[in-house]
Amino acid sequence: MKLRSVLLGASAIALLSVGSAKADGELFFYNWSNYFPPELMEKFEAETGIKVTLDVYDSNETMLAKLQAGASGYDIAVASDYMVDVMIKEGLATKFDAKSLENFDNVAKPHDTMKYDPEREYSVTYLWGTTGFTYDAAAVDGELENSWKEFFEPREEFRGKIGALNDEVEMFNAASYYAGVEKCTEDPAEAQKVLDVLTKQKPYIAVYSSEGTIDRMSAREVQMHMQWNGAAHRTKESIPEAVFVYPKEGLTYWADHFVIPDGAPNLENAKTFINWMMQPENAAEASNYAGYMNSIKGSGEFMDPALTADPAVNMPEEYADLLIPSQNCSVKARDLRNRVWTKLKN
């Protein structure tokens, strides 16, 4: 990602470690990598006079661990559905009443509410999408089956040429769909079935990485990659033969949300940023860059037509029943999932 000068310098790192300084005119933004347009950040800085410093992570769990460790200097974090729930319950999110912001009226249903924050006291939706996998159709004769089998038990042409997300939740969820196991299972025997799927696949994996999935596919370093659908869209821009698969066993539907972490040093600037991002033109620019749909009414007129024309982004209605919502599993289930992931990666 073109980060401009947004990587954290020593002084910013110190701030994020202790969270003690008040930095007027600044905003410390913690986000997924390659998930926010640099030009939009420059536009925000120019219009508001607020200087943005960006730090990035590769999974919800990485972000959570840093916040739990006391990194209280962030003003905005981007969290997926289930992670919003975790942050609220652990006291890591600031209540700011999103509905009180001027531009909240621009938020389209059903995004004006959400399961883990029904009154929108802690969060506002940024972008939303699905998690499946993409393959290079030029690498194989004919079409692949719409099934996780093609990813977990790949054909000869793809063996050793597969990229997987380095994300315990996404990988466990997908393997559980394929194995026919509840993704929030607390049963060790069922978790073993998931581990068996992941272990059998492991020799065919070239890399576990949640970053660089677009570049890796575009350079044909791999010929199949688990991807979020927006990344699949951007892959298709460089490889027209790229196909995003909606597996018949189901795939996760998710949304990412702006959250203000507890102890944010620039609370009012954070609210200004969130309110600004609910303007249709700004939300559309984020969608056009990242390749995901947003939650803002009126943004459609500013959207790239290629987004709505791509089935990876604008899902065909026939696949609607395949979508499985994000879910915050019990502590017991999360611990079991983590043990599976740790065993796989060791």
Side-chain angles (χ1 to χ4, degrees):
M1 179 182 181
K2 180 184 176 187
L3 295 181
R4 305 166 34 248
S5 58
V6 295
L7 294 178
L8 293 176
S11 61
I13 291 173
L15 168 64
L16 295 174
S17 298
V18 301
S20 59
K22 168 71 173 170
D24 290 327
E26 292 187 295
L27 181 81
F28 293 94
F29 186 20
Y30 199 23
N31 193 13
W32 298 83
S33 63
N34 206 16
Y35 200 40
F36 195 89
E39 296 80 6
L40 188 60
M41 195 173 295
E42 292 170 354
K43 179 183 176 184
F44 174 77
E45 290 179 331
E47 291 187 4
T48 66
I50 297 171
K51 177 177 171 53
V52 180
T53 301
L54 175 68
D55 193 11
V56 299
Y57 53 86
D58 62 357
S59 73
N60 280 285
E61 285 62 41
T62 298
M63 179 267 289
L64 176 65
K66 195 162 187 178
L67 295 182
Q68 288 173 326
S72 57
Y74 294 114
D75 300 305
I76 297 284
V78 178
S80 300
D81 306 88
Y82 72 94
M83 190 54 64
V84 173
D85 188 37
V86 174
M87 291 178 68
I88 292 172
K89 288 178 177 176
E90 294 195 10
L92 297 173
T94 298
K95 183 183 290 189
F96 65 95
D97 189 14
K99 290 183 177 180
S100 69
L101 300 179
E102 179 183 359
N103 290 330
F104 189 84
D105 286 345
N106 293 337
V107 176
K109 295 181 182 297
H111 302 286
D112 56 339
T113 185
M114 64 98 81
K115 179 178 179 180
Y116 300 118
D117 184 19
E119 297 303 317
R120 285 298 192 185
E121 295 176 311
Y122 296 89
S123 66
V124 168
T125 298
Y126 173 42
L127 299 173
W128 60 272
T130 57
T131 309
F133 66 92
T134 306
Y135 72 93
D136 183 352
V140 64
D141 292 329
E143 296 181 356
L144 299 193
E145 182 183 0
N146 286 347
S147 171
W148 283 113
K149 179 178 181 179
E150 302 282 10
F151 179 68
F152 288 115
E153 299 182 40
R155 304 180 189 201
E156 188 66 36
E157 296 94 326
F158 294 101
R159 294 180 180 182
K161 303 173 184 177
I162 298 174
L165 294 180
N166 190 31
D167 189 306
E168 124 184 7
V169 177
E170 296 284 23
M171 287 291 286
F172 187 97
N173 287 352
S176 72
Y177 302 152
Y178 182 51
V181 169
E182 166 57 46
K183 65 182 175 183
C184 285
T185 183
E186 297 181 356
D187 184 347
E190 291 188 340
Q192 182 62 49
K193 293 180 181 179
V194 174
L195 179 59
D196 290 344
V197 169
L198 294 170
T199 302
K200 184 176 180 180
Q201 179 200 36
K202 189 174 182 178
Y204 307 135
I205 297 294
V207 61
Y208 290 94
S209 178
S210 301
E211 300 177 294
T213 73
I214 301 162
D215 293 340
R216 202 171 292 118
M217 282 290 291
S218 298
R220 289 190 157 99
E221 295 174 14
V222 296
Q223 294 176 327
M224 178 183 289
H225 214 308
M226 187 183 212
Q227 284 188 313
W228 296 291
N229 64 317
H233 170 73
R234 293 168 67 187
T235 297
K236 193 174 183 65
E237 290 178 333
S238 57
I239 301 183
E241 300 87 355
V243 178
F244 182 74
V245 176
Y246 289 92
K248 63 184 180 183
E249 298 88 357
L251 70 167
T252 299
Y253 156 77
W254 50 264
D256 287 330
H257 311 267
F258 292 125
V259 179
I260 301 177
D262 182 54
N266 304 289
L267 176 61
E268 292 306 313
N269 290 350
K271 291 163 70 173
T272 295
F273 176 82
I274 293 173
N275 189 59
W276 189 85
M277 282 303 299
M278 290 188 286
Q279 295 177 22
E281 187 173 356
N282 298 332
E285 189 169 340
S287 286
N288 290 339
Y289 173 82
Y292 301 94
M293 301 301 284
N294 64 72
S295 63
I296 303 303
K297 293 181 288 188
S299 63
E301 64 181 285
F302 303 104
M303 299 271 284
D304 183 347
L307 277 177
T308 54
D310 186 354
V313 179
N314 190 15
M315 184 190 69
E317 187 176 345
E318 64 194 273
Y319 298 133
D321 290 343
L322 301 178
L323 299 184
I324 302 173
S326 239
Q327 185 176 348
N328 185 20
C329 303
S330 67
V331 172
K332 184 176 180 180
R334 294 200 302 267
D335 287 346
L336 188 57
R337 180 182 66 205
N338 182 254
R339 289 201 299 272
V340 166
W341 186 246
T342 300
K343 189 169 184 178
L344 173 72
K345 297 300 291 292
N346 289 339

